[in-house]
Amino acid sequence: MKHTMLNIENLCVSARGNPDSFLVNNVSLSLKENSVFNLVGETGSGKSVLAWAVAGMLSKDLRASGQITAGGLVTDQPGNGRIQASTFLIPQEPGIALNPTMKVKSQVAEIFRWPRRVPKQKSLTIAAGILGKLGLSISAANSYPHQLSGGMNQRCAIAMALASPAPLIIVDEPTKGLDAHLKKQAVDLLKGLVKKGKSLLCITHDFSVAGMLEGRTGVMLKGKIIEQGHTEQILNNPHHVYTRDLINALPENGLQIPAEINV
């Protein structure tokens, strides 16, 4: 029986100067270990804010309430970093998140060298092996982030997630700006994380990504989750009109533009 890796109860996030205007409004969800939860919605729906709250990395300009349990660690002060050890966040722009002054192999090696106390040379060897399995050459592994493409930097971030002891991986818009072929590659890499025993919270605006990752899916609109369930059910038999409109707006469904929904 799978245990719960992530449990969010009544999470609210608002600006400190405007506490009644919620970016995330009373959200609850649960993610089992070694499983996937996709959070789908338009830009500005609150998905990324929720991800940063779970990662314990909310801006000081924001305030949060509710309770988050991740990897068995509980905080009733979400967004303050107390459960960071249980999470690893892959942001929308991995190249920006990576250290520009370090070669990517060294950045992956750092995760083995310090949290796990693996000797330096062995850490570098392990890091090179992980990057190689993700399709990065020796030359690429010995490059700086600015010398690599966005897709390569994304692979580096995924390599760091594989190296991390954190059981919960949060990935924000992993296929942003990628064509169909590269999108499938990125999704396959994320599925590889789950096969390695990680739990995955995937933030995306793209229902096709959720369909490929499977698991469970929640749909966000104006800070609220308006519908959640098994991904197959959400895609094939959505209950909320907004969810149906989003699915109809997929390119393969004719790009029908969703109507404005009031919640």
Side-chain angles (χ1 to χ4, degrees):
M1 181 177 178
K2 291 184 178 181
H3 298 289
T4 299
M5 176 55 63
L6 172 67
N7 192 60
I8 300 175
E9 296 181 10
N10 306 317
L11 177 65
C12 294
V13 181
S14 60
R16 289 193 178 276
N18 192 5
D20 296 324
S21 180
F22 292 106
L23 303 173
V24 175
N25 191 353
N26 201 34
V27 166
S28 297
L29 64 85
S30 183
L31 168 62
K32 296 291 185 181
E33 63 182 355
N34 196 209
S35 300
V36 178
F37 193 101
N38 305 288
L39 203 55
V40 183
E42 296 177 293
T43 299
S45 60
K47 308 184 306 296
S48 293
V49 175
L50 184 147
W52 287 91
V54 174
M57 300 172 67
L58 274 182
S59 164
K60 293 181 180 180
D61 296 328
L62 300 177
R63 55 178 295 180
S65 63
Q67 186 178 87
I68 297 175
T69 305
L73 301 176
V74 183
T75 178
D76 55 4
Q77 297 181 38
N80 68 0
R82 290 187 180 181
I83 57 176
Q84 278 184 323
S86 297
T87 63
F88 186 95
L89 174 67
I90 303 176
Q92 284 193 33
E93 303 291 346
I96 296 175
L98 295 171
N99 187 333
T101 68
M102 291 178 65
K103 295 178 179 179
V104 294
K105 182 175 72 173
S106 297
Q107 296 189 53
V108 177
E110 289 280 284
I111 300 175
F112 290 98
R113 188 178 178 194
W114 299 116
R116 297 180 176 179
R117 302 297 181 186
V118 177
K120 180 179 180 179
Q121 193 54 51
K122 186 175 180 180
S123 294
L124 289 168
T125 300
I126 296 171
I130 292 175
L131 290 167
K133 289 179 180 178
L134 293 176
L136 289 175
S137 66
I138 295 175
S139 175
N142 285 303
S143 298
Y144 294 95
H146 72 273
Q147 297 174 315
L148 302 175
S149 69
M152 287 181 173
N153 279 323
Q154 185 182 58
R155 289 170 184 262
C156 294
I158 290 174
M160 294 176 74
L162 278 170
S164 170
L168 173 62
I169 307 300
I170 306 167
V171 57
D172 193 357
E173 298 291 1
T175 61
K176 182 180 178 181
L178 300 182
D179 62 26
H181 175 66
L182 291 177
K183 179 193 292 188
K184 184 180 184 305
Q185 285 188 352
V187 170
D188 286 343
L189 290 172
L190 294 174
K191 291 169 79 170
L193 288 175
V194 179
K195 288 180 181 178
K196 292 289 186 180
K198 305 287 188 180
S199 299
L200 182 68
L201 176 63
C202 178
I203 310 299
T204 182
H205 67 278
D206 190 340
F207 264 109
S208 66
V209 171
M212 288 187 283
L213 285 172
E214 301 177 334
R216 293 179 61 81
T217 291
V219 182
M220 282 196 78
L221 174 65
K222 297 180 180 179
K224 298 179 180 179
I225 289 186
I226 58 171
E227 182 170 3
Q228 61 177 299
H230 292 290
T231 300
E232 183 179 6
Q233 177 264 307
I234 296 290
L235 288 172
N236 296 325
N237 187 29
H239 299 310
H240 199 287
V241 61
Y242 177 75
T243 306
R244 293 197 294 270
D245 282 348
L246 278 182
I247 293 171
N248 287 335
L250 291 171
E252 57 266 35
N253 294 330
L255 289 171
Q256 301 176 42
I257 304 302
E260 180 66 21
I261 301 294
N262 294 316
V263 294

